[in-house]
Amino acid sequence: QVQLVESGGGLVQAGGSLRLSCAASGLTFSLYARGWFRQVPGKEREFVVARSRSGSTSYADSVKGRFTISRDFAKNTVYLQMNDLKPEDTAVYYCAAGVVADTRAPGQYNYWGQGTQVTVSS
């Protein structure tokens, strides 16, 4: 069975940093597009950043210059480095993988992790 497991969330002060990890089993990350999304209760899941299988990367405007997606294929793990965190970044963060045409569209991803909570205090 395919599993994606996020970790690394927590409570951080505004201006601080966190690195989220997403470890995969049952699939090879390098064969799929990889994305990070976030969700606040009562709102739809929001695109954060994604990298296509061909190597192109896209970021939401709200996180450009602050967040970076990376990976360690030897560990079958992807990461989200989050710097200069703001209270509005508070959300549950999800990693996703899939064969997708639009890496910004959450509905196109095949596999999802359980999410990890990120809370940024002012």
Side-chain angles (χ1 to χ4, degrees), residues 2-103:
V2 173
Q3 292 186 354
L4 304 180
V5 180
E6 299 99 334
S7 62
L11 176 64
V12 64
Q13 292 184 341
S17 298
L18 285 173
R19 188 179 73 163
L20 307 183
S21 300
C22 178
S25 61
L27 64 79
T28 301
F29 253 142
S30 62
L31 302 179
Y32 295 86
R34 306 168 294 279
W36 287 93
F37 297 78
R38 64 190 183 187
Q39 189 167 25
V40 176
K43 295 186 177 181
E44 294 185 352
R45 195 161 296 186
E46 176 188 21
F47 168 78
V48 177
V49 61
R51 186 173 177 86
S52 71
R53 291 175 293 162
S54 63
S56 63
T57 305
S58 60
Y59 291 86
D61 288 343
S62 60
V63 305
K64 283 183 178 179
R66 300 189 298 121
F67 291 11
T68 304
I69 189 171
S70 62
R71 78 288 190 273
D72 184 343
F73 286 155
K75 297 181 178 180
N76 209 23
T77 300
V78 299
Y79 304 94
L80 180 64
Q81 179 66 46
M82 305 186 295
N83 298 325
D84 191 24
L85 283 161
K86 303 176 180 180
E88 49 264 46
D89 295 318
T90 296
V92 176
Y93 283 72
Y94 299 88
C95 68
V99 180
V100 304
D102 180 3
T103 59

